[in-house]
Amino acid sequence: MYQVTDKCLLCRYPYACIYNCPAEAIFNNGNHAEIDQDKCIHCGKCVGICNLCAIIDTDAPEEVVVPHDLVERDCDILILGGGAAGLIAALRASEQCTGKILVLEKAKKPGGCGIYSSALRMFDTQWEKDHGNPEQMDDYIRSAFNTTRGLLNPQLIANGFRAIPRFFDWFCQWGDAEKGFKYDDEHPLQGMRVTSILPDNAGHYIMGKVIQQLRQKGVEILTETAATEFIMEKGRVAGVRASDPGGNLTIHCKTCLVAMGNIGNNQQILDRYVPEYGAAYKRPTMHLLPTCTGDFIPMAEKAGIPIDEASIVPAYLGPMNTMFNMQTMMQPARPDVLNVNMEGKRWKSESFRGEACNWLLLKQPQAVTWAILDTPLACNPPKSAPPVLFDNSFGRMISNGVPDQNGNPKSAANVMNLGPAGGLPAQPGATSEGIIAGIEAAIAVKGKYVVKGDTIEELAANMGVPYENLKATIDRYNELCKKGHDDDFFKQSDLMIPIETGPFYAFHCHMGTDGVFGGFYIDENMRVIGTDGPIPGLYAAGDNTGGRYVNQGGEKKQIINDFSWAVGSGMLAGENMATYWNQLVNE
């Protein structure tokens, strides 16, 4: 019998088990996927699809762990972390040197967060040049430098940006790029012309091809193997101590890359560096894998390698609809509903939404908000709110400030119309019966993600908020609705609709994140900076580095999105490690 464990993160992608079960036996139970045993045909397809190994066959023989004595291994290039940055670095290095490369990956399968990443930001690729597009690399570098207030190393920005089209052009040589990507005149959000063919599929496609190439080249990947300690000799990293299910290993190396991902699943580290997020309600997401525990921080501290503590910062995405556990559900609150916090109190204008309200949401208890509707409001199409202004904080609009093909400057910010509904009923054209049936189905899902009350008192009890506060809040809101003016938060009058007719519904929403980032100081060649300058032979790439964003009062203002940085920094690290090893051999 196949069962889904609590490792499941409810992947939303086209390759997830829910979308690929031939018997349609897998469904979202609110906490993770679940298999309807009456429908299951025991084909095992879901086991092969799940990269987290969250689905098990309870009838299969139990895995036997064979204890072993201390294992001693030697390699030339050691990669800690089998996500996007680590695997791309390993593959690139394998093409530029003949040294033995070894990858350690903590999970049962390689790929890391890269498997779940949706977009690779690309510009100045050969595809674009072949279509006659002008070279604009310097424009992108200038835009990134301006976005981060000139606080970053411009050479690191330049090297990171240049590595991305270099990666894609290289990928085109062996990765069947035309099957996964297409050329667009201009991507509407990112301002790029090379995009993935399938939505949300760039990371899965690229990582699948990279892993395939590594296996063809014979690069060894040790899964379920976690690095635990650096071995230092004369100021350099000479290897690591590690563990696997059977025991301990000592691995010696000439050069080492740390690409161990983000630190979002280590509560102790969150409480230490980002206590406001540490105290927030959290659900695992595709970018907060169980392996994202920041093991490199205690390793570095024990070895005397400095950590850039000021760089450690979450990438906030909020609020998110808790039931669906998706980054795409970032706008759960209609502008014409009522928002209250866990104290039952209204805390903002409901048309103030998206990333703009992250900092205010963080100040609410548990960083949680409820969207409240009565039955008529739930059954009527939502009213629209003004578009939301975004800046370049998350590296989404990397083309901001970059001239278009006619030389005209683009805006330094982008306005997005997030749509009126954003994940809550009702969508235009839906029937009242269908809407209520959908809400009732959501209420039946495990967990208090959507709750109902025939009265405000019952609703408050199901929400877990003080009834007196919630009643006072709704009474005050209804009073302002009838007055026609929001004296408290100044929401537009046409969006002020009273909450009067039961049953009443509340949707639980919380602060989301793409992870908690930062770690090593690095230079423009991805070398880790120690107390006396670059540490010989030690490199870092991907999420466990700063350098491509600034932490401005807890806001992560970055030059590019996380997956693109993993690709570019991994490419750079692989090339520079190969060069370093070749120099050692030739000395």
Side-chain angles (χ1 to χ4, degrees), residues 47-59:
V47 176
I49 287 174
C50 181
N51 207 66
L52 290 171
C53 299
I55 306 176
I56 60 173
D57 181 359
T58 58
D59 297 325

Side-chain angles (χ1 to χ4, degrees), residues 124-245:
D124 279 15
T125 63
Q126 190 60 48
W127 278 15
E128 291 169 296
K129 294 174 184 176
D130 291 345
H131 280 81
N133 292 315
E135 184 173 321
Q136 291 187 288
M137 182 60 70
D138 284 356
D139 292 323
Y140 283 98
I141 294 170
R142 280 189 288 268
S143 175
F145 197 60
N146 292 338
T147 294
T148 51
R149 310 296 191 259
L151 296 173
L152 300 184
N153 179 348
Q155 295 305 314
L156 177 60
I157 294 176
N159 287 351
F161 272 30
R162 290 167 180 158
I164 295 169
R166 191 162 71 248
F167 165 82
F168 188 74
D169 293 345
W170 172 56
F171 181 77
C172 288
Q173 298 173 21
W174 47 265
D176 297 323
E178 67 282 353
K179 294 181 181 179
F181 295 87
K182 63 181 178 180
Y183 178 88
D184 282 338
D185 287 335
E186 186 169 354
H187 191 285
L189 178 58
Q190 282 86 28
M192 299 169 298
R193 298 177 180 86
V194 178
T195 60
S196 57
I197 291 174
L198 296 176
D200 298 327
N201 205 39
H204 184 261
Y205 188 81
I206 288 172
M207 296 312 299
K209 294 295 183 180
V210 168
I211 292 168
Q212 183 182 62
Q213 282 291 110
L214 285 166
R215 288 174 175 157
Q216 290 176 359
K217 289 179 174 294
V219 174
E220 189 175 5
I221 303 174
L222 298 182
T223 55
E224 295 188 273
T225 305
T228 58
E229 183 180 350
F230 289 117
I231 299 172
M232 304 298 295
E233 290 182 2
K234 298 180 180 180
R236 60 175 289 269
V237 173
V240 300
R241 294 185 176 89
S243 64
D244 65 17

Side-chain angles (χ1 to χ4, degrees), residues 258-550:
V258 186
M260 296 171 69
N262 74 75
I263 61 179
N265 263 333
N266 187 317
Q267 189 63 41
Q268 184 177 5
I269 291 178
L270 297 184
D271 291 341
R272 176 180 170 186
Y273 292 112
V274 284
E276 70 284 351
Y277 180 64
Y281 172 95
K282 293 178 284 292
R283 283 192 76 185
T285 71
M286 284 81 77
H287 298 291
L288 285 179
L289 305 185
T291 51
C292 293
T293 52
D295 299 345
F296 64 91
I297 290 182
M299 288 173 61
E301 291 175 338
K302 185 172 182 178
I305 300 171
I307 291 293
D308 182 5
E309 297 182 3
S311 74
I312 296 176
V313 61
Y316 292 120
L317 304 171
M320 291 171 61
N321 189 307
T322 307
M323 175 182 172
F324 298 98
N325 194 22
M326 299 179 180
Q327 269 73 9
T328 53
M329 301 301 294
M330 287 191 294
Q331 308 304 326
R334 286 170 43 167
D336 53 358
V337 301
L338 170 63
N339 283 173
V340 303
N341 60 22
M342 289 298 296
E343 294 176 346
K345 298 178 179 179
R346 191 178 180 212
W347 58 280
K348 71 177 181 76
S349 166
E350 290 74 15
S351 59
F352 179 51
R353 59 196 178 131
E355 293 161 9
C357 71
N358 280 346
W359 311 113
L360 189 55
L361 178 59
L362 269 177
K363 296 180 183 298
Q364 308 311 309
Q366 302 177 52
V368 163
T369 184
W370 290 90
I372 298 178
L373 308 85
D374 67 359
T375 295
L377 185 56
C379 292
N380 282 300
K383 292 182 177 292
S384 296
V388 176
L389 185 69
F390 283 82
D391 67 11
N392 201 18
S393 299
F394 294 101
R396 291 197 182 100
M397 280 62 75
I398 58 171
S399 62
N400 286 346
V402 176
D404 62 21
Q405 288 184 283
N406 298 319
N408 299 317
K410 295 182 180 178
S411 170
N414 189 46
V415 174
M416 293 180 62
N417 187 345
L418 299 174
L424 288 186
Q427 298 291 347
T431 65
S432 297
E433 293 78 9
I435 292 165
I436 298 302
I439 295 176
E440 292 291 346
I443 292 170
V445 171
K446 295 178 182 178
K448 290 186 175 181
Y449 309 135
V450 183
V451 298
K452 171 186 175 181
D454 290 328
T455 64
I456 299 301
E457 184 173 8
E458 183 182 6
L459 183 70
N462 290 333
M463 293 167 62
V465 305
Y467 165 65
E468 296 79 8
N469 290 355
L470 183 62
K471 183 178 186 307
T473 296
I474 292 177
D475 287 347
R476 170 63 175 170
Y477 184 74
N478 288 344
E479 175 189 329
L480 295 174
C481 290
K482 293 173 182 177
K483 180 180 180 180
H485 187 270
D486 184 3
D487 296 343
D488 295 342
F489 293 99
F490 301 93
K491 185 164 75 170
Q492 299 96 304
S493 297
D494 63 330
L495 298 175
M496 296 287 290
I497 301 173
I499 309 294
E500 296 177 318
T501 306
F504 305 94
Y505 304 98
F507 287 69
H508 186 279
C509 311
H510 75 291
M511 175 67 75
T513 177
D514 255 350
V516 181
F517 302 83
F520 293 103
Y521 294 94
I522 55 171
D523 70 4
E524 61 269 19
N525 296 313
M526 309 310 299
R527 297 182 298 179
V528 172
I529 306 298
T531 54
D532 298 317
I535 299 173
L538 183 61
Y539 297 80
D543 292 349
N544 57 203
T545 65
R548 51 99 185 197
Y549 61 84
V550 293

